[in-house]
Amino acid sequence: MSLQRGIMGGLPRAGAAYRRASGDADGYGGLLTIDLGAIARNWRRLSARVAPARASAVVKADAYGLGAHEVAPTLYRAGCRAFFVAHVEEGIKLRAVLPRDAEIIILHGAPARSEPDCDAYQLTPVLNCMEQLTAWIRFTSANGLKRRCVVQFDTGMTRFGFDLSEASSVAAALGMAGSRPSLVMSHLACADDPSAASNAVQRERLLDLRKLFPDTELSLAASSGIFLGPDYHLDLVRPGAALYGVNPAGTDPNPMESTIRLWGRIMQVREVPAGTEVGYGLAGRTKAATRLATVAVGYADGFFRSASGRASAWLGSKRLPLVGRVSMDSIVVDLAALPGPPLVPGDLLDLLGDAYGVDDLAADAGTIGYEILTGLSSRYWREYVE
């Protein structure tokens, strides 16, 4: 039974039949639903936006915490054929669930002695430095292979990639080896700021490399870069966070569909008078007599401690502010805004959903949506729905 079908009146009750292969959801402090259909629709929306450029999918960090083994096959069925991960080990695990015609590209490249794994599992390394380039050419030449590779250049972020001054040497080395990269890429440092002059500078620097790599595809834009406009789409875009519902358009309304919903389970409810001090350091204080619910989700579950005093839980359209500090395994929520029958232990409150999303929690925690997603705990009971 899907979690949606198990919800009664918008609020799951203790004892409801939430099941997964490993056991009963009633034993979990938090319930996380991941909408694979929404992820697929987000990819299709971006793919249509950038056409005739192609859209790949970044599924590193276990698909930003949402489960690469479930997300990547969904995106493949939606039409995606190129997938980016960070590490060779991520690529090996991903190959087990993707057909051979799906290209898996390793952003960090092939560390020393991992080249045979790239060949065995048909992984495409991104070559970022001379050490990686030399090792890759040595391996492929010694084994008579014509394996694909991607080359990255640092056009201004000072993170990964060859220096532009090395471009001629890179092109010459690949030419002598009889190899041509399938893609030349770079990464924007300020894509989330359309006014940043560095965006156009980085684009022009990448386009200049066409002189050395004619007929090779170029890629520059990730999620936010897509929304800088067609000049940044080039041949291939690499959306990641946008696929999972993080707003790629800065302060503009989010063009992407929400993909997750998180509930926290109430473990205890108590009546308290005005002026009651709450939590570690007694940092919270009630302004009036109220009911407080202790909810079994905390910073060990990815609900950041820095959101203390700012974040909230929700029930429908009712905002329920947190009181006191976020603990490792729990938060305390003020239920004063709720009319009607009182909540009881076992009931669930919305922690992430339509009223309060990933970017909202990120703002309250002083971070970004990427960190919220990748911090989602394995302690949650997970339900994948389409």
Side-chain angles (χ1 to χ4, degrees), residues 23-72:
D24 193 334
D26 286 342
Y28 291 77
L31 284 68
L32 176 67
T33 61
I34 299 163
D35 189 339
L36 295 175
I39 294 173
R41 290 189 292 275
N42 282 341
W43 183 85
R44 291 192 185 103
R45 184 176 292 115
L46 294 172
S47 182
R49 186 184 186 98
V50 304
R54 294 183 296 119
S56 63
V58 180
V59 293
K60 64 183 180 178
D62 200 25
Y64 287 57
L66 301 189
H69 275 211
E70 292 77 18
V71 168

Side-chain angles (χ1 to χ4, degrees), residues 19-189:
R19 300 283 178 178
R20 71 171 188 175
S22 63
D24 193 334
D26 286 342
Y28 291 77
L31 284 68
L32 176 67
T33 61
I34 299 163
D35 189 339
L36 295 175
I39 294 173
R41 290 189 292 275
N42 282 341
W43 183 85
R44 291 192 185 103
R45 184 176 292 115
L46 294 172
S47 182
R49 186 184 186 98
V50 304
R54 294 183 296 119
S56 63
V58 180
V59 293
K60 64 183 180 178
D62 200 25
Y64 287 57
L66 301 189
H69 275 211
E70 292 77 18
V71 168
T74 297
L75 292 171
Y76 181 88
R77 292 191 294 272
C80 184
R81 292 296 180 269
F83 299 83
F84 285 83
V85 295
H87 304 295
V88 170
E89 186 61 27
E90 288 181 311
I92 292 172
K93 292 177 180 177
L94 194 61
R95 178 56 73 196
V97 298
L98 287 178
R100 288 286 170 167
D101 66 329
E103 185 174 18
I104 300 174
I105 303 168
I106 312 300
L107 287 165
H108 287 186
R113 297 178 296 281
S114 68
E115 296 88 0
D117 285 333
C118 289
D119 178 52
Y121 292 94
Q122 291 187 309
L123 310 177
T124 302
V126 176
L127 305 180
N128 293 291
C129 60
M130 281 298 179
E131 291 82 359
Q132 290 183 347
L133 175 66
T134 301
W136 185 248
I137 290 176
R138 183 186 303 120
F139 171 75
T140 54
S141 298
N143 292 278
L145 301 175
K146 295 294 182 182
R147 295 286 292 118
R148 293 163 66 93
C149 68
V150 173
V151 176
Q152 179 162 209
F153 285 92
D154 173 24
T155 57
M157 191 175 183
T158 319
R159 189 179 64 166
F160 282 110
F162 290 96
D163 289 337
L164 293 174
S165 62
E166 299 176 296
S168 295
S169 299
V170 172
L174 289 169
M176 289 180 62
S179 177
R180 183 172 66 87
S182 59
L183 183 72
V184 171
M185 63 175 281
S186 191
H187 196 74
L188 290 165

